[in-house]
């Protein structure tokens, strides 16, 4: 680092405007404190330029840096003030060991860095199918603009959605719905949001605008099976899949989460079930009633701690390609609506919990979703219960 960097004052708008791009696109740095710098790279095309943070990582014995964006939504002295604040905040994280800094240059790099911090099969699948081999993956983070992501979104929305893949058989697909596209955009939006600040609205720098979810796409689930219909489904399902389907009827878990449970996740002495992997990435623990605990104890009998609680013939775990067939067949035998799926059963469990009067916060916690989502999809049930309670106050 040059000596001039340590005395440079990037807060002066006029002086900053006179800076020339450096060889190798190296930013101009201003020292904020020992081991902490804020940097500015002038645009070669007359744009606003890009800001950077630089901090000393004692664990790696070297400086690391992070792009902060161009702060397109800000003007005047507010630009430097925000860049300084962001650089100091990031340096604090690096110095405390809270950031595993690494070289992130492209969108692909950003996605892989995101997975290291927040591993998850859903995000990994989206990146593998729609980012790594797509032109968007090669775009540099500091060059990323709204038009890049708009074109990517068009490709995503036109790509068929996988229905099922049978070994040795035909791969079945369907047109991608807006709700599916909304869900597929979430991991990329999260990965980019860790590195970039929102650009100025209604400009090409506003990368975030291209990833806004389509409104009205995520509709409330309406299909509900009462207890008698669920019993009919259990009676019709084949013996191999019966324990797994019964588990869907007893626990407010996503099908993939239920399939991923291992024997070591369940403590029969305390009746505690630990869910370590789920869509939200946060582990949680549920204390089970004795009847459900007895059911899991039976499923776990004579299995090793790392074995799935719910197994197929041969000891393998269930997945979306293996549970769809048995459930579909049982739905037909029980004369239930053709749209019934594994997720329908989770919806039924959540509906019963809400209508039973369990607080929305508790339902959200044990089901691994947000209060906002529970209120969005099940809030009308709380309203119905409140109306009935008010009716009971009539004198």
């Amino acid at each position: 680092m040059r000596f001039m960097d340590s005395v440079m004052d990037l807060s002066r708008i006029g002086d900053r405007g006179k800076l020339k791009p450096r060889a190798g696109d190296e930013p101009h740095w201003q020292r904020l404190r020992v081991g902490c710098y804020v940097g500015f790279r002038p645009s070669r095309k007359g744009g606003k330029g890009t800001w950077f943070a630089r901090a000393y990582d004692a664990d790696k014995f070297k400086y690391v840096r992070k792009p902060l964006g161009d702060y397109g939504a800000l003007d005047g002295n507010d630009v430097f003030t925000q860049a300084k604040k962001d650089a100091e905040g990031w340096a604090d994280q690096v110095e405390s060991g809270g950031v595993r800094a690494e070289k992130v240059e492209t969108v692909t790099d950003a996605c892989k860095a995101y997975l290291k911090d927040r591993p998850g099969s859903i995000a990994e699948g989206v990146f593998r199918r729609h980012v790594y081999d797509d032109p968007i993956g090669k775009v540099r983070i500091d060059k990323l603009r709204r038009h890049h992501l708009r074109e990517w979104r068009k490709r995503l929305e036109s790509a068929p959605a996988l229905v099922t893949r049978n070994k040795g058989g035909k791969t079945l697909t369907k047109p991608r719905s807006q709700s599916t596209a909304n869900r597929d955009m979430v991991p990329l939006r999260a990965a980019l949001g860790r590195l970039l600040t929102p650009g100025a609205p209604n400009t090409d720098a506003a990368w975030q605008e291209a990833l806004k979810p389509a409104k009205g796409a995520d509709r409330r689930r309406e299909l509900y099976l009462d207890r008698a219909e669920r019993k009919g489904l259990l009676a019709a399902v084949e013996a191999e899949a019966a324990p797994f389907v019964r588990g869907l009827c007893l626990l407010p878990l996503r099908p993939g989460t239920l399939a991923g449970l291992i024997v070591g996740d369940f403590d029969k002495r305390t009746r505690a079930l630990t869910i370590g992997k789920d869509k939200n990435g946060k582990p949680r623990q549920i204390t089970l009633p004795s009847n459900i605990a007895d059911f899991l104890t039976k499923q776990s009998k004579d299995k090793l701690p790392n074995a799935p609680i719910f197994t197929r013939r041969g000891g393998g775990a269930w997945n979306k390609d293996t549970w769809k067939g048995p459930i579909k067949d049982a739905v037909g035998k029980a004369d239930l609506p053709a749209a019934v799926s594994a997720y329908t059963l989770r919806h039924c469990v959540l509906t019963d919990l809400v209508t039973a009067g369990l607080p929305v916060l508790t339902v959200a916690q044990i089901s691994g979703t947000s209060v906002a989502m529970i209120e969005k999809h099940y809030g009308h049930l709380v309203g119905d219960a409140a109306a009935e309670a008010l009716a009971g106050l009539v004198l």
Side-chain angles (χ1 to χ4, degrees):
M1 181 176 293
R2 301 177 184 178
F3 171 79
M4 284 298 293
D5 286 339
S6 63
V7 297
M8 181 172 292
D9 186 356
L10 295 176
S11 68
R12 297 178 179 177
I13 300 175
D15 292 348
R16 197 167 66 234
K18 298 176 183 178
L19 296 175
K20 303 297 182 182
R22 282 180 167 177
D25 285 335
E26 178 67 17
H28 296 268
W29 297 103
Q30 176 182 336
R31 176 176 164 175
L32 301 177
R33 66 169 189 261
V34 175
C36 172
Y37 293 79
V38 65
F40 177 75
R41 177 195 291 165
S43 172
R44 294 182 182 275
K45 297 182 180 180
K48 296 193 68 172
T50 305
W51 292 85
F52 292 81
R54 191 181 194 199
Y56 185 75
D57 189 335
D59 294 331
K60 293 186 176 182
F61 303 103
K62 65 178 184 180
Y63 279 92
V64 293
R65 73 186 190 188
K66 171 187 175 181
L68 301 176
D70 63 4
Y71 297 100
L74 301 177
D75 293 306
N77 294 325
D78 291 340
V79 175
F80 176 81
T81 300
Q82 189 62 48
K84 178 177 179 291
K85 180 181 178 181
D86 292 345
E88 290 174 333
W90 185 72
D92 289 341
Q93 290 182 295
V94 173
E95 291 165 2
S96 64
V99 168
R100 189 175 178 182
E102 55 190 289
K103 189 175 183 180
V104 178
E105 294 184 344
T106 66
V107 172
T108 291
D109 294 336
C111 293
K112 291 181 178 179
Y114 177 79
L115 286 176
K116 287 183 179 180
D117 289 340
R118 297 199 61 179
S121 59
I122 294 177
E124 190 279 330
V126 170
F127 295 154
R128 174 170 41 81
R129 292 188 297 270
H130 304 296
V131 176
Y132 295 157
D133 293 330
D134 187 271
I136 194 70
K138 298 179 181 179
V139 177
R140 290 178 59 92
I141 288 294
D142 57 344
K143 301 294 184 182
L144 185 65
R145 294 293 183 267
R146 183 176 59 183
H147 72 272
H148 294 125
L149 291 168
R150 279 181 171 173
E151 291 301 318
W152 174 81
R153 180 169 180 164
K154 289 179 183 178
R155 294 191 292 272
L156 172 70
E157 292 175 343
S158 64
L162 179 68
V163 176
T164 184
R165 181 190 292 112
N166 298 319
K167 291 183 178 179
K170 184 179 179 181
T171 297
L172 301 178
T173 61
K174 64 180 180 179
R176 187 175 302 275
S177 66
Q178 281 292 345
S179 60
T180 300
N182 280 353
R183 289 192 295 272
D184 287 342
M185 287 190 293
V186 170
L188 181 59
R189 189 165 60 239
L192 296 177
R194 297 169 75 243
L195 299 173
L196 298 174
T197 56
N202 300 318
T203 70
D204 202 35
W207 62 271
Q208 73 281 358
E209 292 181 352
L211 299 180
K212 284 185 177 180
K215 293 183 178 180
D218 298 313
R219 298 179 179 177
R220 193 168 68 202
R221 292 180 183 272
E222 300 290 353
L223 186 56
Y224 172 81
L225 304 182
D226 60 29
R227 292 176 184 273
E229 289 173 320
R230 277 173 266 171
K231 287 181 179 179
L233 179 67
L234 287 171
V237 75
E238 63 183 47
E240 181 186 13
F244 178 71
V245 177
R246 184 174 294 276
L248 290 173
C249 294
L250 295 175
L251 294 166
L253 304 182
R254 297 176 178 86
T257 301
L258 186 74
L261 293 177
I262 60 175
V263 174
D265 292 330
F266 174 58
D267 187 340
K268 64 180 180 180
R269 296 171 301 171
T270 62
R271 305 201 313 273
L273 178 65
T274 300
I275 296 94
K277 290 183 179 181
D278 205 347
K279 186 177 179 179
N280 65 2
K282 298 178 180 179
R284 63 188 189 279
Q285 193 173 81
I286 304 175
T287 299
L288 303 174
S290 58
N291 56 346
I292 298 180
D294 291 343
F295 169 67
L296 291 187
T297 299
K298 181 179 179 181
Q299 299 305 313
S300 303
K301 187 177 180 181
D302 299 328
K303 293 180 180 177
L304 295 174
N306 288 327
I309 292 179
F310 299 98
T311 54
R312 304 179 62 213
R313 294 189 185 98
W318 290 91
N319 59 58
K320 64 180 181 180
D321 292 324
T322 56
W323 72 57
K324 284 183 179 179
I327 291 178
K328 183 177 180 180
D329 293 342
V331 166
K333 293 178 183 177
D335 196 25
L336 296 173
V340 170
S341 67
Y343 268 91
T344 303
L345 299 178
R346 180 175 185 255
H347 166 64
C348 295
V349 173
L350 292 175
T351 299
D352 289 350
L353 291 176
V354 173
T355 54
L358 199 64
V360 170
L361 175 60
T362 303
V363 176
Q365 290 173 334
I366 65 175
S367 62
T369 190
S370 67
V371 171
M373 289 302 294
I374 293 296
E375 290 179 337
K376 176 180 178 181
H377 293 284
Y378 303 95
H380 64 292
L381 301 175
V382 178
D384 293 343
E388 292 179 8
L390 289 172
L393 298 177
V394 177
L395 300 177

